[in-house]
Amino acid sequence: MLELKKDASLIEEIRQHEAPEYFTQCFRCGACSGICPVEKVAQDFDPRVIVHALLLGLKEKLLADDTIWKCSGCGSCIPVCPMDVKPMEVIKALKALVAEKDPEFALEMRFKAGRLARVNPEKCIACLTCVRDCPFSAPAIVPDGYAVIDPEKCRACGICVVECPARAIELNPSPEMAASLGGQDV
Amino acid sequence: MIIAERKPIERILQMIEPYQKIAVLGCRGCVAICSAGGDREVETLASALRLARKKQGKPLETIEETYVRQCDPEYLKPLAELKEKVEAVVSLACGVGVNLCADLYPDLKIYPGVDTTFYGANPALGEWEEKCRGCGDCIIDLTGGICPIARCAKNLLNGPCGGSQNGKCEINPDTPCVWQEVYDRLKARGELDRLTKIWPAKNWIPAGYGGPRRRVRPDLQINNKKA
Ligand code: SF4
Ligand code: SF4
Ligand code: SF4
Ligand code: SF4
Ligand code: SF4
Protein backbone atom coordinates (compact mmCIF):
# COMPACT_ATOMS: atom_id res chain seq x y z
CA MET A 1 0.00 0.00 0.00
CA LEU A 2 1.20 3.49 -0.76
CA GLU A 3 2.42 5.19 2.36
CA LEU A 4 2.20 8.97 2.40
CA LYS A 5 4.52 10.95 4.60
CA LYS A 6 2.68 13.75 6.35
CA ASP A 7 4.36 16.85 7.66
CA ALA A 8 2.16 19.45 9.31
CA SER A 9 5.00 21.97 9.37
CA LEU A 10 4.30 22.58 5.67
CA ILE A 11 1.25 24.68 6.51
CA GLU A 12 3.33 26.96 8.72
CA GLU A 13 6.09 27.22 6.13
CA ILE A 14 3.61 28.15 3.44
CA ARG A 15 2.23 30.93 5.59
CA GLN A 16 5.71 32.46 5.55
CA HIS A 17 5.53 32.59 1.76
CA GLU A 18 2.57 34.88 1.33
CA ALA A 19 0.01 32.12 1.21
CA PRO A 20 -3.53 33.53 1.13
CA GLU A 21 -5.20 33.95 4.50
CA TYR A 22 -8.01 31.40 4.30
CA PHE A 23 -6.41 28.48 2.52
CA THR A 24 -7.11 26.06 5.37
CA GLN A 25 -10.84 26.55 4.84
CA CYS A 26 -11.01 24.44 1.69
CA PHE A 27 -13.92 21.97 1.92
CA ARG A 28 -12.99 20.26 -1.33
CA CYS A 29 -16.01 21.29 -3.35
CA GLY A 30 -13.99 21.10 -6.55
CA ALA A 31 -15.18 24.39 -8.05
CA CYS A 32 -11.53 25.30 -8.73
CA SER A 33 -10.87 22.01 -10.50
CA GLY A 34 -14.04 22.45 -12.51
CA ILE A 35 -12.89 25.72 -14.00
CA CYS A 36 -9.12 25.14 -14.16
CA PRO A 37 -8.05 24.91 -17.84
CA VAL A 38 -4.86 23.05 -16.96
CA GLU A 39 -6.79 20.38 -15.06
CA LYS A 40 -8.52 19.59 -18.37
CA VAL A 41 -5.30 18.81 -20.18
CA ALA A 42 -2.76 17.61 -17.59
CA GLN A 43 -3.80 14.34 -16.05
CA ASP A 44 -1.92 14.78 -12.79
CA PHE A 45 -2.88 18.41 -12.21
CA ASP A 46 -5.84 19.37 -10.05
CA PRO A 47 -5.90 22.48 -7.84
CA ARG A 48 -8.27 20.90 -5.35
CA VAL A 49 -5.92 17.95 -4.93
CA ILE A 50 -2.99 20.32 -4.44
CA VAL A 51 -4.78 22.33 -1.75
CA HIS A 52 -5.90 19.11 -0.10
CA ALA A 53 -2.41 17.62 -0.20
CA LEU A 54 -1.09 20.77 1.42
CA LEU A 55 -3.63 20.58 4.23
CA LEU A 56 -2.73 16.93 4.74
CA GLY A 57 0.93 17.93 4.93
CA LEU A 58 2.10 15.83 1.97
CA LYS A 59 5.22 17.91 1.79
CA GLU A 60 7.55 15.65 -0.13
CA LYS A 61 5.03 14.91 -2.82
CA LEU A 62 4.11 18.56 -3.34
CA LEU A 63 7.57 20.06 -3.28
CA ALA A 64 9.59 17.43 -5.13
CA ASP A 65 7.07 16.77 -7.88
CA ASP A 66 6.69 18.68 -11.12
CA THR A 67 2.92 18.98 -10.70
CA ILE A 68 2.63 22.40 -9.07
CA TRP A 69 4.74 23.91 -11.86
CA LYS A 70 2.06 23.13 -14.40
CA CYS A 71 -0.25 25.86 -13.06
CA SER A 72 -0.42 28.61 -15.68
CA GLY A 73 -1.27 31.27 -13.11
CA CYS A 74 -4.40 32.18 -15.05
CA GLY A 75 -6.31 32.84 -11.82
CA SER A 76 -9.58 31.29 -13.01
CA CYS A 77 -9.80 29.33 -9.75
CA ILE A 78 -9.78 32.40 -7.53
CA PRO A 79 -13.26 33.92 -8.07
CA VAL A 80 -15.07 30.56 -8.14
CA CYS A 81 -13.89 29.36 -4.72
CA PRO A 82 -16.71 29.78 -2.15
CA MET A 83 -14.20 29.69 0.72
CA ASP A 84 -11.83 32.34 -0.65
CA VAL A 85 -8.95 29.86 -0.71
CA LYS A 86 -7.28 31.38 -3.79
CA PRO A 87 -5.77 28.11 -5.05
CA MET A 88 -3.54 29.95 -7.51
CA GLU A 89 -1.96 31.91 -4.67
CA VAL A 90 -1.52 28.71 -2.69
CA ILE A 91 0.34 27.14 -5.59
CA LYS A 92 2.42 30.29 -5.99
CA ALA A 93 3.43 30.07 -2.33
CA LEU A 94 4.38 26.42 -2.74
CA LYS A 95 6.57 27.34 -5.70
CA ALA A 96 8.18 30.16 -3.73
CA LEU A 97 9.00 27.69 -0.98
CA VAL A 98 10.70 25.34 -3.44
CA ALA A 99 12.55 28.25 -5.05
CA GLU A 100 13.83 29.42 -1.69
CA LYS A 101 15.19 25.98 -0.81
CA ASP A 102 16.63 25.16 -4.25
CA PRO A 103 16.46 27.93 -6.87
CA GLU A 104 18.13 25.80 -9.57
CA PHE A 105 15.63 23.01 -9.12
CA ALA A 106 12.75 25.49 -9.23
CA LEU A 107 13.96 26.91 -12.56
CA GLU A 108 14.46 23.42 -13.93
CA MET A 109 10.89 22.49 -12.97
CA ARG A 110 9.52 25.65 -14.56
CA PHE A 111 11.46 24.94 -17.71
CA LYS A 112 10.28 21.34 -17.76
CA ALA A 113 6.66 22.40 -17.40
CA GLY A 114 6.96 24.80 -20.34
CA ARG A 115 6.63 27.88 -18.15
CA LEU A 116 10.05 29.37 -18.87
CA ALA A 117 12.12 29.86 -22.02
CA ARG A 118 15.86 29.28 -22.00
CA VAL A 119 18.68 30.23 -24.38
CA ASN A 120 21.27 27.70 -25.45
CA PRO A 121 24.44 29.83 -25.29
CA GLU A 122 26.23 27.51 -27.75
CA LYS A 123 23.75 28.39 -30.48
CA CYS A 124 23.01 32.03 -29.66
CA ILE A 125 24.53 34.49 -32.15
CA ALA A 126 23.67 37.55 -30.06
CA CYS A 127 21.52 38.96 -32.86
CA LEU A 128 19.28 40.91 -30.43
CA THR A 129 16.05 39.65 -31.99
CA CYS A 130 14.73 38.28 -28.68
CA VAL A 131 15.88 41.37 -26.79
CA ARG A 132 13.96 43.52 -29.21
CA ASP A 133 10.80 41.46 -29.55
CA CYS A 134 10.07 40.07 -26.08
CA PRO A 135 6.96 41.91 -24.85
CA PHE A 136 8.22 41.59 -21.27
CA SER A 137 11.86 42.65 -21.83
CA ALA A 138 13.06 39.36 -20.36
CA PRO A 139 16.10 38.59 -22.55
CA ALA A 140 19.35 40.55 -22.38
CA ILE A 141 22.76 39.96 -23.93
CA VAL A 142 25.32 39.24 -21.21
CA PRO A 143 28.92 40.48 -21.48
CA ASP A 144 30.06 37.03 -22.67
CA GLY A 145 28.03 37.64 -25.82
CA TYR A 146 24.87 35.57 -25.62
CA ALA A 147 21.29 36.13 -24.54
CA VAL A 148 20.03 35.16 -21.10
CA ILE A 149 16.33 35.22 -20.21
CA ASP A 150 15.40 36.69 -16.84
CA PRO A 151 13.11 34.12 -15.18
CA GLU A 152 11.43 36.87 -13.17
CA LYS A 153 10.22 38.49 -16.39
CA CYS A 154 9.65 35.58 -18.79
CA ARG A 155 6.03 34.51 -19.20
CA ALA A 156 6.78 31.71 -21.61
CA CYS A 157 4.79 33.33 -24.42
CA GLY A 158 7.06 31.73 -27.02
CA ILE A 159 7.45 34.78 -29.26
CA CYS A 160 11.24 34.74 -29.01
CA VAL A 161 11.32 31.01 -29.70
CA VAL A 162 9.61 31.48 -33.03
CA GLU A 163 11.63 34.55 -33.99
CA CYS A 164 15.15 33.48 -32.95
CA PRO A 165 17.01 33.11 -36.26
CA ALA A 166 19.53 30.71 -34.72
CA ARG A 167 16.87 28.50 -33.14
CA ALA A 168 18.73 28.95 -29.87
CA ILE A 169 15.75 29.33 -27.54
CA GLU A 170 14.17 26.31 -25.95
CA LEU A 171 10.66 26.28 -24.54
CA ASN A 172 8.88 23.05 -23.74
CA PRO A 173 5.24 22.84 -24.68
CA SER A 174 3.06 23.80 -21.74
CA PRO A 175 0.26 21.33 -20.91
CA GLU A 176 -2.24 23.51 -22.80
CA MET A 177 0.04 23.76 -25.84
CA ALA A 178 0.77 20.05 -25.86
CA ALA A 179 -2.95 19.32 -25.78
CA SER A 180 -3.87 21.78 -28.51
CA LEU A 181 -1.20 20.35 -30.78
CA GLY A 182 -2.49 16.85 -30.19
CA GLY A 183 -0.04 14.27 -31.43
CA GLN A 184 1.88 16.79 -33.54
CA ASP A 185 5.53 17.55 -33.07
CA VAL A 186 6.19 20.53 -30.88
CA MET B 1 27.53 43.35 -41.18
CA ILE B 2 26.77 41.86 -44.58
CA ILE B 3 23.09 42.05 -45.45
CA ALA B 4 21.39 39.55 -47.71
CA GLU B 5 17.91 38.79 -48.92
CA ARG B 6 16.43 35.44 -49.78
CA LYS B 7 16.05 34.88 -53.50
CA PRO B 8 12.52 34.45 -54.82
CA ILE B 9 11.45 30.87 -54.29
CA GLU B 10 10.75 30.44 -58.04
CA ARG B 11 14.42 31.17 -58.78
CA ILE B 12 15.58 28.61 -56.27
CA LEU B 13 13.13 26.05 -57.63
CA GLN B 14 14.59 26.61 -61.11
CA MET B 15 18.12 26.02 -59.86
CA ILE B 16 17.29 22.76 -58.16
CA GLU B 17 14.90 21.51 -60.83
CA PRO B 18 16.98 18.47 -61.84
CA TYR B 19 17.56 17.19 -58.32
CA GLN B 20 15.62 14.91 -56.02
CA LYS B 21 17.71 15.37 -52.90
CA ILE B 22 19.40 18.58 -51.80
CA ALA B 23 20.86 20.14 -48.68
CA VAL B 24 19.81 23.60 -47.52
CA LEU B 25 22.86 25.01 -45.79
CA GLY B 26 22.59 28.02 -43.48
CA CYS B 27 25.26 30.17 -41.87
CA ARG B 28 25.20 31.53 -38.31
CA GLY B 29 27.19 34.64 -39.27
CA CYS B 30 25.86 37.88 -40.76
CA VAL B 31 23.06 36.25 -42.75
CA ALA B 32 21.62 34.69 -39.61
CA ILE B 33 21.79 37.96 -37.74
CA CYS B 34 20.06 39.74 -40.62
CA SER B 35 17.39 37.03 -40.78
CA ALA B 36 18.20 35.80 -44.27
CA GLY B 37 20.11 32.55 -43.82
CA GLY B 38 20.21 31.22 -40.26
CA ASP B 39 18.63 28.09 -38.80
CA ARG B 40 15.14 29.57 -38.97
CA GLU B 41 15.38 30.50 -42.67
CA VAL B 42 16.89 27.11 -43.49
CA GLU B 43 13.87 25.51 -41.91
CA THR B 44 11.35 27.70 -43.70
CA LEU B 45 13.06 27.51 -47.10
CA ALA B 46 13.46 23.73 -46.94
CA SER B 47 9.80 23.20 -46.14
CA ALA B 48 8.68 25.73 -48.77
CA LEU B 49 10.76 23.92 -51.39
CA ARG B 50 9.41 20.51 -50.37
CA LEU B 51 5.86 21.81 -50.51
CA ALA B 52 6.32 23.42 -53.92
CA ARG B 53 7.90 20.28 -55.35
CA LYS B 54 5.21 18.07 -53.90
CA LYS B 55 2.66 20.25 -55.68
CA GLN B 56 4.58 19.79 -58.94
CA GLY B 57 4.43 16.03 -58.41
CA LYS B 58 8.23 15.82 -58.14
CA PRO B 59 8.85 15.32 -54.43
CA LEU B 60 12.08 16.70 -53.03
CA GLU B 61 14.11 15.40 -50.13
CA THR B 62 16.04 17.92 -48.05
CA ILE B 63 18.75 17.83 -45.42
CA GLU B 64 18.88 20.95 -43.25
CA GLU B 65 22.18 22.10 -41.77
CA THR B 66 23.54 25.40 -40.47
CA TYR B 67 27.26 25.99 -39.95
CA VAL B 68 28.90 28.46 -37.58
CA ARG B 69 30.22 30.35 -40.62
CA GLN B 70 30.70 29.57 -44.27
CA CYS B 71 33.61 31.98 -44.78
CA ASP B 72 36.21 29.85 -42.94
CA PRO B 73 37.39 26.52 -44.36
CA GLU B 74 37.48 24.91 -40.92
CA TYR B 75 33.74 25.33 -40.50
CA LEU B 76 33.14 23.92 -43.97
CA LYS B 77 34.82 20.59 -43.26
CA PRO B 78 31.53 18.76 -42.56
CA LEU B 79 30.46 19.72 -46.08
CA ALA B 80 32.82 17.03 -47.42
CA GLU B 81 30.52 14.41 -45.92
CA LEU B 82 27.26 16.26 -46.48
CA LYS B 83 27.85 16.64 -50.20
CA GLU B 84 28.04 12.86 -50.60
CA LYS B 85 24.50 12.51 -49.31
CA VAL B 86 22.86 14.96 -51.74
CA GLU B 87 22.90 15.92 -55.39
CA ALA B 88 23.21 19.66 -54.77
CA VAL B 89 23.44 22.25 -52.02
CA VAL B 90 21.54 25.53 -51.72
CA SER B 91 23.61 27.78 -49.47
CA LEU B 92 21.96 30.61 -47.59
CA ALA B 93 25.34 32.18 -46.79
CA CYS B 94 26.34 35.44 -48.43
CA GLY B 95 28.22 35.23 -51.70
CA VAL B 96 31.47 34.87 -49.76
CA GLY B 97 30.33 31.59 -48.28
CA VAL B 98 29.01 30.22 -51.56
CA ASN B 99 32.29 31.11 -53.30
CA LEU B 100 34.38 29.43 -50.62
CA CYS B 101 32.25 26.27 -50.75
CA ALA B 102 32.72 26.22 -54.51
CA ASP B 103 36.49 26.79 -54.17
CA LEU B 104 36.91 24.03 -51.62
CA TYR B 105 34.69 21.43 -53.26
CA PRO B 106 34.99 21.71 -57.03
CA ASP B 107 32.76 18.69 -57.62
CA LEU B 108 29.95 20.18 -55.54
CA LYS B 109 26.89 21.60 -57.24
CA ILE B 110 26.30 24.63 -55.07
CA TYR B 111 23.64 27.29 -55.60
CA PRO B 112 23.08 30.63 -53.87
CA GLY B 113 19.84 30.90 -51.95
CA VAL B 114 20.24 34.59 -51.15
CA ASP B 115 21.17 37.81 -52.89
CA THR B 116 23.97 39.53 -51.03
CA THR B 117 23.03 43.17 -50.97
CA PHE B 118 25.07 45.54 -48.82
CA TYR B 119 27.03 46.33 -45.65
CA GLY B 120 24.51 47.67 -43.23
CA ALA B 121 23.37 48.43 -39.74
CA ASN B 122 20.29 47.03 -38.01
CA PRO B 123 18.77 50.07 -36.30
CA ALA B 124 15.65 48.16 -35.23
CA LEU B 125 14.10 44.73 -35.50
CA GLY B 126 13.39 43.96 -39.14
CA GLU B 127 15.18 47.00 -40.64
CA TRP B 128 18.60 47.18 -42.28
CA GLU B 129 20.28 50.26 -43.77
CA GLU B 130 23.32 50.56 -45.99
CA LYS B 131 26.17 52.46 -44.34
CA CYS B 132 29.40 51.58 -46.16
CA ARG B 133 30.53 50.32 -49.58
CA GLY B 134 33.90 48.96 -48.54
CA CYS B 135 35.70 51.41 -50.85
CA GLY B 136 38.99 50.72 -49.12
CA ASP B 137 39.96 54.36 -48.61
CA CYS B 138 37.70 55.68 -45.90
CA ILE B 139 37.10 59.43 -46.01
CA ILE B 140 34.43 59.84 -43.39
CA ASP B 141 36.84 61.68 -41.11
CA LEU B 142 36.03 64.60 -43.41
CA THR B 143 32.25 64.19 -43.30
CA GLY B 144 31.43 63.84 -39.64
CA GLY B 145 31.42 60.03 -39.73
CA ILE B 146 28.70 59.84 -42.37
CA CYS B 147 29.50 58.16 -45.68
CA PRO B 148 28.46 59.97 -48.85
CA ILE B 149 29.67 57.14 -51.04
CA ALA B 150 27.30 54.60 -49.54
CA ARG B 151 24.49 56.95 -48.58
CA CYS B 152 24.31 59.47 -51.46
CA ALA B 153 22.29 58.15 -54.38
CA LYS B 154 24.81 59.74 -56.75
CA ASN B 155 27.88 58.89 -54.67
CA LEU B 156 28.78 62.57 -54.73
CA LEU B 157 31.88 63.79 -52.95
CA ASN B 158 30.83 67.41 -53.32
CA GLY B 159 27.14 67.43 -52.59
CA PRO B 160 24.45 68.24 -52.07
CA CYS B 161 23.25 68.20 -55.64
CA GLY B 162 20.35 70.29 -56.93
CA GLY B 163 17.94 67.48 -56.09
CA SER B 164 18.26 67.93 -52.35
CA GLN B 165 14.82 69.09 -51.18
CA ASN B 166 14.05 69.98 -47.56
CA GLY B 167 16.70 67.59 -46.35
CA LYS B 168 15.45 64.73 -48.52
CA CYS B 169 16.94 63.06 -51.58
CA GLU B 170 15.11 63.55 -54.88
CA ILE B 171 15.26 59.86 -55.70
CA ASN B 172 13.04 59.02 -52.74
CA PRO B 173 11.32 61.39 -50.33
CA ASP B 174 11.93 58.87 -47.49
CA THR B 175 15.68 58.96 -47.98
CA PRO B 176 17.49 61.70 -46.13
CA CYS B 177 19.95 63.73 -48.21
CA VAL B 178 23.24 62.55 -46.79
CA TRP B 179 24.91 65.80 -47.76
CA GLN B 180 22.33 67.75 -45.76
CA GLU B 181 23.19 65.42 -42.85
CA VAL B 182 26.91 65.99 -43.35
CA TYR B 183 26.32 69.74 -43.42
CA ASP B 184 24.16 69.73 -40.27
CA ARG B 185 26.62 67.51 -38.44
CA LEU B 186 29.66 69.59 -39.33
CA LYS B 187 27.81 72.78 -38.47
CA ALA B 188 26.91 71.41 -35.03
CA ARG B 189 30.55 70.45 -34.53
CA GLY B 190 31.75 73.88 -35.59
CA GLU B 191 33.64 72.33 -38.49
CA LEU B 192 31.84 73.82 -41.49
CA ASP B 193 35.12 75.18 -42.82
CA ARG B 194 35.98 71.60 -43.84
CA LEU B 195 33.51 72.01 -46.70
CA THR B 196 35.27 75.10 -48.05
CA LYS B 197 38.59 73.30 -48.38
CA ILE B 198 39.52 71.46 -51.55
CA TRP B 199 39.82 67.74 -50.79
CA PRO B 200 42.42 65.75 -52.63
CA ALA B 201 40.89 63.45 -55.22
CA LYS B 202 39.76 60.23 -53.62
CA ASN B 203 41.95 57.24 -54.25
CA TRP B 204 39.75 54.63 -55.95
CA ILE B 205 42.50 52.06 -56.39
CA PRO B 206 41.70 50.27 -53.10
CA ALA B 207 38.06 50.09 -54.22
CA GLY B 208 38.86 47.18 -56.49
CA TYR B 209 41.56 47.99 -59.01
CA GLY B 210 43.58 44.94 -59.98
CA GLY B 211 41.09 42.18 -59.38
CA PRO B 212 39.95 40.57 -56.16
CA ARG B 213 41.26 42.35 -53.11
CA ARG B 214 43.44 40.59 -50.57
CA ARG B 215 44.54 41.52 -47.13
CA VAL B 216 47.64 39.93 -45.66
CA ARG B 217 49.13 40.10 -42.17
CA PRO B 218 52.54 38.45 -42.46
CA ASP B 219 52.97 38.50 -38.68
CA LEU B 220 49.89 36.29 -38.36
CA GLN B 221 50.83 34.11 -41.29
CA ILE B 222 54.00 32.95 -39.54
CA ASN B 223 52.03 30.68 -37.21
CA ASN B 224 49.62 29.48 -39.86
CA LYS B 225 49.06 25.75 -39.48
CA LYS B 226 47.30 25.52 -42.84
CA ALA B 227 49.53 23.89 -45.43
S1 SF4 C 1 -12.92 25.83 -4.94
FE1 SF4 C 1 -12.03 26.38 -2.98
S2 SF4 C 1 -13.11 25.16 -1.48
FE2 SF4 C 1 -13.55 24.27 -3.44
S3 SF4 C 1 -11.99 22.67 -3.66
FE3 SF4 C 1 -11.17 24.48 -4.65
S4 SF4 C 1 -10.00 25.47 -3.08
FE4 SF4 C 1 -11.32 24.00 -2.05
S1 SF4 D 1 -4.43 29.54 -11.62
FE1 SF4 D 1 -3.58 27.51 -11.84
S2 SF4 D 1 -4.85 26.21 -10.59
FE2 SF4 D 1 -5.96 28.11 -10.86
S3 SF4 D 1 -7.29 27.72 -12.61
FE3 SF4 D 1 -5.42 28.66 -13.41
S4 SF4 D 1 -4.07 26.96 -13.94
FE4 SF4 D 1 -5.72 26.15 -12.63
S1 SF4 E 1 9.06 33.33 -23.99
FE1 SF4 E 1 8.00 35.31 -24.24
S2 SF4 E 1 8.23 36.28 -22.23
FE2 SF4 E 1 9.74 34.63 -22.29
S3 SF4 E 1 11.61 35.61 -23.05
FE3 SF4 E 1 10.56 34.76 -24.82
S4 SF4 E 1 9.35 36.45 -25.64
FE4 SF4 E 1 9.92 37.00 -23.52
S1 SF4 F 1 17.12 35.74 -30.82
FE1 SF4 F 1 18.26 33.84 -30.50
S2 SF4 F 1 20.27 34.16 -31.44
FE2 SF4 F 1 19.30 36.17 -31.22
S3 SF4 F 1 20.08 36.94 -29.26
FE3 SF4 F 1 18.14 35.92 -28.82
S4 SF4 F 1 18.69 33.82 -28.30
FE4 SF4 F 1 20.47 34.73 -29.28
S1 SF4 G 1 34.22 56.14 -47.42
FE1 SF4 G 1 34.37 54.06 -48.18
S2 SF4 G 1 35.10 52.83 -46.45
FE2 SF4 G 1 34.38 54.80 -45.63
S3 SF4 G 1 32.27 54.42 -45.05
FE3 SF4 G 1 32.22 55.20 -47.14
S4 SF4 G 1 32.30 53.40 -48.48
FE4 SF4 G 1 32.87 52.74 -46.40
Side-chain angles (χ1 to χ4, degrees):
Chain A
M1 201 182 85
L2 184 69
E3 204 191 316
L4 294 168
K5 272 201 216 145
K6 297 184 183 178
D7 186 345
S9 71
L10 181 58
I11 293 181
E12 273 325 299
E13 278 184 85
I14 282 301
R15 285 199 201 281
Q16 311 296 314
H17 286 84
E18 291 177 30
E21 208 177 336
Y22 303 116
F23 73 93
T24 53
Q25 299 191 28
C26 170
F27 60 5
R28 304 183 247 306
C29 67
C32 55
S33 311
I35 201 153
C36 173
V38 178
E39 192 266 350
K40 309 292 167 290
V41 291
Q43 282 203 336
D44 58 345
F45 185 86
D46 184 329
R48 169 174 57 174
V49 172
I50 292 173
V51 174
H52 194 185
L54 164 62
L55 297 179
L56 285 174
L58 302 182
K59 187 170 175 177
E60 240 180 69
K61 167 134 187 67
L62 278 175
L63 302 190
D65 224 56
D66 61 354
T67 315
I68 54 172
W69 302 94
K70 293 183 181 170
C71 170
S72 71
C74 68
S76 312
C77 51
I78 293 179
V80 298
C81 174
M83 303 307 285
D84 203 19
V85 168
K86 302 196 171 80
M88 180 191 93
E89 301 288 344
V90 173
I91 295 170
K92 219 166 118 184
L94 284 164
K95 290 185 202 165
L97 183 61
V98 177
E100 184 195 74
K101 289 191 159 65
D102 189 346
E104 287 298 310
F105 174 76
L107 289 181
E108 202 48 49
M109 285 292 120
R110 253 181 85 186
F111 177 69
K112 191 175 163 209
R115 301 290 182 212
L116 175 66
R118 204 152 71 180
V119 175
N120 175 351
E122 311 251 302
K123 290 186 82 184
C124 173
I125 52 171
C127 70
L128 288 167
T129 301
C130 58
V131 175
R132 287 169 172 172
D133 72 9
C134 169
F136 308 107
S137 304
I141 307 290
V142 296
D144 279 351
Y146 56 87
V148 168
I149 293 173
D150 182 350
E152 298 292 322
K153 294 183 182 160
C154 176
R155 299 202 199 165
C157 69
I159 291 175
C160 62
V161 180
V162 178
E163 298 301 334
C164 171
R167 291 283 183 252
I169 309 180
E170 295 156 8
L171 174 65
N172 286 326
S174 63
E176 311 88 278
M177 180 61 89
S180 73
L181 290 169
Q184 292 176 44
D185 272 357
V186 281
Chain B
M1 92 191 104
I2 294 177
I3 310 301
E5 177 103 54
R6 210 199 60 213
K7 281 184 173 290
I9 189 109
E10 298 74 27
R11 275 284 286 137
I12 303 176
L13 281 167
Q14 266 172 18
M15 299 175 199
I16 60 161
E17 228 243 281
Y19 312 116
Q20 267 95 57
K21 187 168 183 191
I22 63 156
V24 179
L25 186 59
C27 171
R28 290 210 181 101
C30 302
V31 289
I33 300 174
C34 77
S35 286
D39 296 64
R40 175 184 46 182
E41 281 72 27
V42 166
E43 225 173 88
T44 38
L45 176 63
S47 54
L49 291 175
R50 286 195 307 268
L51 262 175
R53 285 282 295 263
K54 200 169 165 191
K55 239 174 102 186
Q56 296 173 359
K58 293 182 293 180
L60 177 75
E61 248 189 279
T62 55
I63 297 183
E64 296 162 35
E65 294 266 357
T66 305
Y67 295 162
V68 173
R69 281 198 293 278
Q70 289 188 36
C71 52
D72 290 302
E74 286 87 340
Y75 292 122
L76 287 175
K77 275 193 181 142
L79 186 51
E81 217 172 285
L82 179 64
K83 75 181 171 58
E84 299 309 322
K85 298 185 199 151
V86 294
E87 295 158 80
V89 172
V90 173
S91 165
L92 295 190
C94 72
V96 177
V98 182
N99 271 269
L100 187 59
C101 292
D103 285 345
L104 293 175
Y105 302 105
D107 60 335
L108 170 68
K109 296 198 176 77
I110 186 144
Y111 298 92
V114 302
D115 290 313
T116 307
T117 42
F118 54 83
Y119 306 157
N122 179 205
L125 197 58
E127 288 174 31
W128 294 272
E129 289 170 355
E130 182 165 21
K131 300 292 185 199
C132 171
R133 289 250 168 110
C135 74
D137 174 34
C138 192
I139 50 99
I140 61 180
D141 56 318
L142 301 171
T143 57
I146 300 172
C147 178
I149 293 164
R151 296 166 65 176
C152 166
K154 300 166 189 173
N155 314 134
L156 292 181
L157 278 175
N158 55 349
C161 68
S164 177
Q165 315 256 328
N166 306 319
K168 302 292 178 195
C169 174
E170 68 174 340
I171 60 127
N172 181 348
D174 293 331
T175 305
C177 167
V178 73
W179 273 105
Q180 178 77 48
E181 291 183 307
V182 168
Y183 180 88
D184 293 343
R185 176 75 50 99
L186 292 180
K187 192 171 174 193
R189 281 166 49 158
E191 295 173 355
L192 265 187
D193 59 316
R194 279 188 194 286
L195 297 180
T196 61
K197 298 212 174 84
I198 306 286
W199 299 350
K202 184 172 157 51
N203 181 7
W204 286 100
I205 288 179
Y209 166 86
R213 291 178 272 180
R214 264 178 71 130
R215 176 177 176 242
V216 172
R217 282 251 328 242
D219 55 327
L220 296 180
Q221 284 181 315
I222 289 173
N223 294 323
N224 206 341
K225 287 198 204 80
K226 215 181 86 187

